[in-house]
Amino acid sequence: MDIIKQHNIICNNSIVLNEDGIFNCEYMRYAKHMVSVDLPLYNYIIKPSGGLMSNINSGKMLYNKISLLKARNLLESEIHKQFSLSILPMYAGSVVLSLLQMMAYAVEQNDKEAYSLVKQYYDNPVTRKAVDMLPLGKRVKFSIPLLLLKLRMPGLLHLAMLCADKVGIKFNA
């Protein structure tokens, strides 16, 4: 509690999902010692109609992902100043997966505002670095979208996702 009070660490209200991850990273910046326990000490129970799913399955998810990216960017900058290291490799996969989830949502909803938020997220320099950082894998489902993002062709990826959606193929990231 001393660390939290001394460094004024608070939960970011603009982030609905993964706010605890940002809080934990902020806290760990100041911890002198840490111990990792390889035990599942809590579980999420996800109900199809619960609050968590309503945030994931709505336009709120898009704004949350942008708020989370901004918080991660700020944390990345602060940690780089403090320790001269980048934490982006720890969450690059999450950044790219979030981009793909946002694209899938925008296609599914056919929502112009959602497309604008996807573009804002894609154009963020940290998103571009995360895309470049990830290796192409063996799973076609993710390798083709990642390749198109690496080639700076989000429009072609969007078109491919639209076509897939029209023939009933859904992308669930």
Side-chain angles (χ1 to χ4, degrees):
M1 194 63 177
D2 291 340
I3 290 174
I4 293 170
K5 287 179 181 176
Q6 182 180 356
H7 298 284
N8 196 29
I9 302 171
I10 57 172
C11 255
N12 186 334
N13 301 17
S14 69
I15 303 171
V16 180
L17 300 171
N18 204 4
E19 73 285 359
D20 53 342
I22 296 295
F23 180 88
N24 292 339
C25 286
E26 281 288 342
Y27 181 88
M28 287 185 269
R29 284 177 58 195
Y30 304 105
K32 300 239 186 287
H33 306 308
M34 287 185 270
V35 175
S36 174
V37 179
D38 192 19
L39 294 171
L41 299 175
Y42 65 92
N43 285 320
Y44 287 106
I45 297 174
I46 300 175
K47 300 175 187 171
S49 61
L52 178 65
M53 292 309 288
S54 67
N55 284 327
I56 290 171
N57 296 326
S58 74
K60 291 179 190 175
M61 178 263 298
L62 302 175
Y63 290 102
N64 183 74
K65 289 187 180 297
I66 288 176
S67 295
L68 181 58
L69 183 65
K70 287 177 183 175
R72 284 174 164 170
N73 290 353
L74 180 60
L75 186 60
E76 166 80 17
S77 173
E78 291 171 355
I79 287 177
H80 191 268
K81 283 181 207 165
Q82 187 176 358
F83 299 107
S84 296
L85 63 92
S86 173
I87 60 169
L88 180 57
M90 292 190 293
Y91 64 91
S94 175
V95 169
V96 175
L97 186 59
S98 288
L99 175 60
L100 294 173
Q101 288 171 329
M102 291 172 74
M103 288 180 119
Y105 179 83
V107 166
E108 184 180 295
Q109 299 299 312
N110 195 18
D111 179 351
K112 289 184 181 188
E113 183 182 354
Y115 293 126
S116 153
L117 293 171
V118 170
K119 181 167 177 15
Q120 179 184 341
Y121 192 94
Y122 175 76
D123 288 340
N124 187 295
V126 171
T127 303
R128 298 285 181 94
K129 284 181 195 172
V131 165
D132 292 340
M133 183 178 286
L134 291 182
L136 292 173
K138 295 177 181 161
R139 294 182 62 197
V140 173
K141 180 178 179 179
F142 294 108
S143 291
I144 291 173
L146 182 57
L147 177 62
L148 291 174
L149 293 174
K150 284 179 174 292
L151 294 172
R152 303 291 188 251
M153 301 173 104
L156 185 56
L157 175 56
H158 176 249
L159 181 61
M161 290 173 88
L162 271 174
C163 292
D165 187 64
K166 294 294 180 200
V167 297
I169 299 170
K170 300 288 181 201
F171 179 85
N172 298 320

